[in-house]
Amino acid sequence: MQHVDVLIIGGGPAGISAAVWCKRLGVDCLLLEEQAQLGGQLFTIYNEIIDYPGIQAENGIEMQRKMVQHFIDMGCLYEVNTKVISIDERSKTVKVKQQETEKEISYTYLILATGSSQRKLGVPGEQQMIDRGEVYSASADGERLKGKRVALIGGGDRAFEGAHLLASQAKQVYLIHRSTHFKAREQYVEKVLSDPGVKVMTDTEVTAIHGKHHVTSIDLKSKNSECKNLSIDAVLIRLGIAPNVELIKEKVTTTQSGLIVINEVHQSSDPSIYAIGDACTTPLFSSISSSAGQGAIVAKYVSSLLKKS
């Protein structure tokens, strides 16, 4: 069985940072990434990155190139297309699948940099829509949605910003929210409420998404129990994010929202397991900068522990 002192799960900014620091500190380390490329959520950032000290990038893809090049130049060890199937915290082993083969890797310390994913509605038709590839970015897919009837679901910044961006291109934009209270910043709310191209529907929930080959309509239920069907060409779900902690949530302490509970050095309730990035960070405080900093903290701390042992 393969053994490494530090095993990192997740190849986004947090995991990359932890690996770079482990390499710099002479720590035996391996990073595992489920996707074909390192970068994590950097691939979903389409706007300019202007707040990472010392590096300005046109978008997340440019930032990904810079980070991955640094990672490779440092000689960090990694495996992509590697799905973690299970974690056994008692034996300190991780079972992974690569194509059709499975193997186990043992660790001294495990760093979870598993990131987060978009929260789902959990309604009929949603997964089929996602599986067909009907997933859009308001900032990058304006042309694809031109002349379409678009529904944005949510009440936060991303929902309102998306509605405002698409209002000038889509045939009709509906912003649908389950309450009358919005979490979005006032500047976004004001723009949308005054935009004739956006119809805001509050106290309303989506109960189903219809369409065999592409989205054709959605079912709505309002607070007064009124139900109706709305013709729609595209649905953008903007309900916030959820940490990717399914593999570990029963094995370490998590918050009600699913975040891994950590101490000042990002150690979980299991002294051999650490969490960094969106797996443990409240969305309000999530950023590329904080993820990179957390990776450095954990790498430095486990390096000090390994030197003592």
Side-chain angles (χ1 to χ4, degrees):
M1 184 191 299
Q2 181 183 4
H3 174 83
V4 289
D5 287 338
V6 175
L7 184 64
I8 302 169
I9 302 176
I16 288 173
S17 174
V20 165
W21 274 94
C22 281
K23 184 69 177 180
R24 181 179 183 274
L25 295 167
V27 174
D28 172 38
C29 171
L30 173 67
L31 184 148
L32 305 178
E33 169 56 47
E34 183 175 349
Q35 302 302 318
Q37 296 185 77
L38 301 177
Q41 292 182 70
L42 290 175
F43 288 105
T44 67
I45 300 174
Y46 300 98
N47 54 291
E48 186 181 5
I49 297 171
I50 58 173
D51 48 15
Y52 191 95
I55 298 178
Q56 289 177 286
E58 185 179 338
N59 49 40
I61 293 173
E62 185 184 348
M63 178 68 99
Q64 182 266 352
R65 284 198 295 266
K66 291 174 187 269
M67 283 193 166
V68 172
Q69 190 60 56
H70 184 184
F71 176 90
I72 291 171
D73 289 346
M74 290 285 287
C76 298
L77 299 179
Y78 68 104
E79 295 178 11
V80 293
N81 293 317
T82 302
K83 181 178 177 61
V84 177
I85 301 169
S86 63
I87 298 169
D88 188 332
E89 78 285 7
R90 294 179 298 271
S91 63
K92 294 187 179 181
T93 58
V94 167
K95 184 182 287 186
V96 303
K97 184 175 183 179
Q98 296 170 318
Q99 295 181 327
E100 298 305 313
T101 62
E102 294 182 5
K103 67 176 181 178
E104 288 189 342
I105 304 170
S106 66
Y107 61 84
T108 304
Y109 296 107
L110 178 66
I111 300 176
L112 299 169
T114 47
S116 59
S117 302
Q118 292 296 319
R119 289 189 188 276
K120 295 180 181 178
L121 283 166
V123 301
E126 177 183 31
Q127 193 57 51
Q128 290 90 327
M129 176 186 76
I130 295 168
D131 292 343
R132 290 194 302 264
E134 292 183 81
V135 179
Y136 303 97
S137 160
S139 55
D141 292 323
E143 278 298 315
R144 288 176 67 194
L145 297 173
K146 199 167 187 177
K148 306 279 189 182
R149 297 159 299 177
V150 181
L152 285 103
I153 304 165
D157 283 354
R158 288 193 69 212
F160 274 83
E161 186 178 18
H164 177 65
L165 286 171
L166 293 173
S168 61
Q169 293 177 297
K171 180 179 180 180
Q172 177 67 61
V173 174
Y174 299 91
L175 191 144
I176 303 165
H177 188 44
R178 62 184 179 181
S179 77
T180 54
H181 172 70
F182 304 121
K183 290 183 179 179
R185 280 174 277 183
E186 192 60 37
Q187 67 198 72
Y188 291 142
V189 175
E190 288 177 0
K191 284 179 180 178
V192 167
L193 292 181
S194 62
D195 193 325
V198 181
K199 182 176 180 180
V200 178
M201 305 172 73
T202 57
D203 284 334
T204 302
E205 293 187 48
V206 176
T207 56
I209 299 172
H210 299 288
K212 188 173 182 181
H213 303 293
H214 56 83
V215 171
T216 56
S217 68
I218 54 178
D219 288 345
L220 302 175
K221 183 179 180 180
S222 60
K223 197 172 185 179
N224 61 13
S225 296
E226 180 188 349
C227 299
K228 67 177 181 179
N229 181 267
L230 182 67
S231 293
I232 284 293
D233 301 304
V235 177
L236 281 70
I237 300 167
R238 298 293 183 261
L239 302 177
I241 58 173
N244 297 327
V245 295
E246 288 300 312
L247 286 168
I248 200 73
K249 67 179 183 180
E250 303 297 330
K251 301 172 183 182
V252 297
T253 304
T254 56
T255 66
Q256 192 173 1
S257 59
L259 296 168
I260 297 170
V261 175
I262 52 165
N263 63 13
E264 68 276 6
V265 291
H266 286 258
Q267 187 179 52
S268 74
S269 55
D270 182 318
S272 298
I273 299 177
Y274 295 76
I276 54 179
D278 286 355
C280 63
T281 305
T282 303
L284 178 63
F285 304 124
S286 174
S287 70
I288 303 171
S289 300
S290 63
S291 293
Q294 291 165 13
I297 290 169
V298 174
K300 287 187 172 188
Y301 185 70
V302 296
S303 171
S304 70
L305 293 179
L306 288 164
K307 286 175 182 174
K308 289 177 185 177
S309 59

